[in-house]
């Protein structure tokens, strides 16, 4: 007789996506994501509207994930939920749901750190893909975080560098806002950059020590340059949109890779991964492949749907923690801030 299957329900509600996923052993059976379009008109996520939308979405999303997976709730072994970091009102919805569901089903729940989960998305089993070997470096780039993580084991990781101001996703989104794109504008920059010239415009790059990142100088330089150019030509943005997007994208990627290359070389690590919403960026994915070829790295890029916020990565992390008996109890309150660390 083979080993009993482990089936885990993952719940993600840290920001503006409500997601539920079912993981059987290391394979994802379903990963349902309800995106909240309500924020587009405001140019950023409005926390109160996000938590209200999570309230409306959570039950239908979980129901859809179970149905899609063909799994009955009685078959679940555990519920993994995002405890933080994120927006408090959003986290409370997922946390409260996980508590009541686990109590009703009398199964354990596992409290997952969202940033750890972005890294462990690489361990979701997929045909033709192998996970990184330990130790590896992971550049986790999202709308709220930019971290360079040294991963020694699934539950043994250390942030060796992080942003001292804006996150990489924020840098994309803020530049996109100046170009007139709705929130989040990162994917629009990516789309327009494809046919633009990345050398057309130069923007400021930071000079800071170690493995930390900074994007505030870059952001200010995009703002001031645009103000100047638009004064000279009111149609400047429309006339140069693709080149502007390509140049912005190139600068953000240069800033990220400057530190990634330095860390890989200092630590003599050749297993290099990216994770988080910004790792959906096609320029960043191509750059990682290029640098990998040039430097003899083995590179790892998650499947597109596991880059941006999703519950599949929460379930995967939950599985690692479940195996170690790392359970949460009913007192578990969400953490708006929660650093990686075990
Ligand atoms: O990980 P994620 O879904 O949510 C957070 O935890 O923040 O990341 C969202 C961020 C947003 O800033 C969004 O603009 C950015 O990821 N993003 C992209 C792309 N797709 C998503 N940025 C640039 N190019 C993309 N293709
Ligand atoms: Zn995220």
């Amino acid at each position: 007789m083979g080993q009993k299957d482990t089936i885990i329900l993952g719940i993600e509600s840290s920001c503006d996506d409500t997601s539920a996923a079912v993981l059987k052993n290391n394979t994802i059976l379903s990963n349902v994501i309800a995106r909240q379009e309500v924020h587009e008109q405001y140019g950023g996520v409005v926390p109160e509207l996000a938590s209200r939308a999570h309230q409306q979405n959570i039950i239908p999303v979980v129901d859809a994930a179970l149905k899609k997976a063909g799994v009955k709730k009685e078959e679940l072994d555990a519920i993994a939920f995002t405890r933080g970091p994120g927006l408090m009102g959003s986290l409370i919805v997922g946390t409260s749901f996980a508590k009541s569901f686990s109590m009703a089903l009398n199964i354990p729940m596992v409290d997952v750190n969202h940033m750890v989960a972005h890294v462990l998305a690489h361990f979701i089993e997929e045909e033709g893909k192998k996970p990184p070997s330990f130790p590896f470096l992971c550049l986790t780039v999202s709308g709220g975080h930019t971290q360079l993580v040294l991963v020694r084991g699934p539950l043994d990781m250390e942030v060796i560098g992080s942003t001292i101001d804006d996150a990489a996703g924020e840098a994309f989104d803020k530049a996109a806002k100046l170009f007139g794109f709705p929130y989040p504008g990162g994917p629009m920059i990516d789309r327009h950059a494809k046919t633009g010239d990345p050398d057309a415009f130069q923007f400021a790059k930071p000079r800071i020590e170690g493995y930390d990142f900074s994007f505030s100088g870059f952001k200010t330089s995009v703002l001031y340059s645009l103000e100047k150019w638009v004064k000279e030509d009111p149609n400047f943005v429309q006339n140069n949109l693709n080149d502007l997007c390509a140049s912005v994208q190139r600068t953000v990627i240069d800033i990220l890779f400057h530190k990634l290359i330095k860390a890989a070389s200092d630590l003599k690590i050749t297993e290099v991964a990216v994770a988080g919403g910004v790792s959906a960026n096609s320029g960043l994915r191509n750059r990682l492949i290029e640098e990998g070829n040039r430097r003899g790295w083995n590179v790892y890029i998650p499947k597109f749907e596991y880059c941006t916020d999703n519950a599949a990565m929460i379930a995967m992390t939950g599985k690692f923690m479940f195996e170690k008996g790392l359970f949460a109890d009913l007192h578990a309150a969400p953490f708006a801030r929660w650093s990686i660390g075990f």
Side-chain angles (χ1 to χ4, degrees):
M1 232 177 69
Q3 254 193 324
K4 188 195 164 291
D5 290 327
T6 303
I7 304 182
I8 293 186
L9 173 71
I11 310 262
E12 155 63 27
S13 73
S14 65
C15 190
D16 59 341
D17 295 319
T18 319
S19 179
V22 177
L23 179 85
K24 183 175 180 177
N25 301 324
N26 294 333
T27 311
I28 287 295
L29 301 181
S30 64
N31 180 38
V32 175
I33 304 172
R35 302 205 186 280
Q36 302 179 1
E37 269 140 32
V38 60
H39 309 286
E40 265 175 32
Q41 55 188 306
Y42 300 104
V45 176
V46 184
E48 175 62 22
L49 295 180
S51 55
R52 287 185 204 188
H54 284 304
Q55 288 270 25
Q56 289 170 345
N57 293 339
I58 188 98
I59 292 176
V61 164
V62 170
D63 192 47
L66 288 170
K67 287 208 172 91
K68 198 165 168 217
V71 163
K72 294 193 190 63
K73 55 186 187 301
E74 295 76 22
E75 291 177 83
L76 296 172
D77 291 296
I79 298 174
F81 67 99
T82 306
R83 186 172 180 177
L87 300 171
M88 189 46 94
S90 294
L91 291 165
I92 283 174
V93 178
T95 306
S96 310
F97 180 86
K99 284 183 190 176
S100 17
F101 208 34
S102 81
M103 206 155 67
L105 297 172
N106 196 25
I107 54 174
M109 53 175 191
V110 184
D111 54 335
V112 170
N113 181 308
H114 181 90
M115 299 312 293
V116 169
H118 269 303
V119 175
L120 296 181
H122 285 283
F123 292 86
I124 295 170
E125 224 163 70
E126 280 171 78
E127 228 180 271
K129 262 195 160 181
K130 72 174 184 68
S133 323
F134 302 109
F136 67 91
L137 274 178
C138 186
L139 174 69
T140 312
V141 271
S142 72
H145 295 86
T146 299
Q147 297 182 336
L148 196 48
V149 188
L150 171 59
V151 191
R152 300 191 190 90
L155 302 177
D156 180 6
M157 40 185 100
E158 182 190 340
V159 177
I160 59 168
S162 55
T163 181
I164 59 165
D165 39 58
D166 288 351
E170 252 175 307
F172 270 115
D173 295 338
K174 286 180 177 168
K177 197 172 175 182
L178 296 174
F179 300 158
F181 295 132
Y183 177 85
M188 296 297 285
I189 296 220
D190 191 355
R191 201 168 311 154
H192 285 271
K194 288 197 168 88
T195 44
D197 174 7
D199 295 318
F201 305 103
Q202 303 300 317
F203 300 113
K205 291 182 198 166
R207 269 191 231 158
I208 50 170
E209 294 288 305
Y211 305 132
D212 284 341
F213 305 92
S214 165
F215 291 98
S216 69
F218 158 78
K219 184 181 68 184
T220 314
S221 101
V222 176
L223 176 68
Y224 289 169
S225 305
L226 272 188
E227 277 178 2
K228 185 170 135 261
W229 294 328
V230 169
K231 216 178 266 170
E232 289 157 11
D233 168 13
N235 296 322
F236 186 85
V237 173
Q238 294 90 309
N239 293 342
N240 296 278
L241 192 55
N242 295 351
D243 288 348
L244 282 168
C245 289
S247 303
V248 157
Q249 179 168 301
R250 154 72 83 79
T251 313
V252 173
I253 295 172
D254 278 352
I255 294 171
L256 294 170
F257 273 77
H258 179 61
K259 296 300 172 87
L260 180 60
I261 291 165
K262 177 174 161 52
S265 141
D266 289 353
L267 303 171
K268 300 190 175 44
I269 289 181
T270 52
E271 296 282 300
V272 183
V274 290
V278 180
S279 65
N281 181 270
S282 58
L284 185 134
R285 294 164 94 95
N286 291 337
R287 178 72 174 271
L288 183 67
I289 295 166
E290 260 172 51
E291 297 290 352
N293 287 337
R294 183 174 311 140
R295 298 167 197 280
W297 295 346
N298 295 319
V299 301
Y300 302 88
I301 304 174
K303 191 172 155 188
F304 207 75
E305 67 170 302
Y306 304 145
C307 286
T308 45
D309 287 350
N310 66 87
M313 65 183 194
I314 305 301
M316 187 69 239
T317 307
K319 165 94 183 326
F320 282 116
M321 295 174 70
F322 177 82
E323 284 167 346
K324 292 229 173 294
L326 296 171
F327 302 134
D329 63 26
L330 290 175
H331 298 290
F335 298 131
R337 289 168 164 270
W338 189 12
S339 56
I340 287 183
F342 292 92

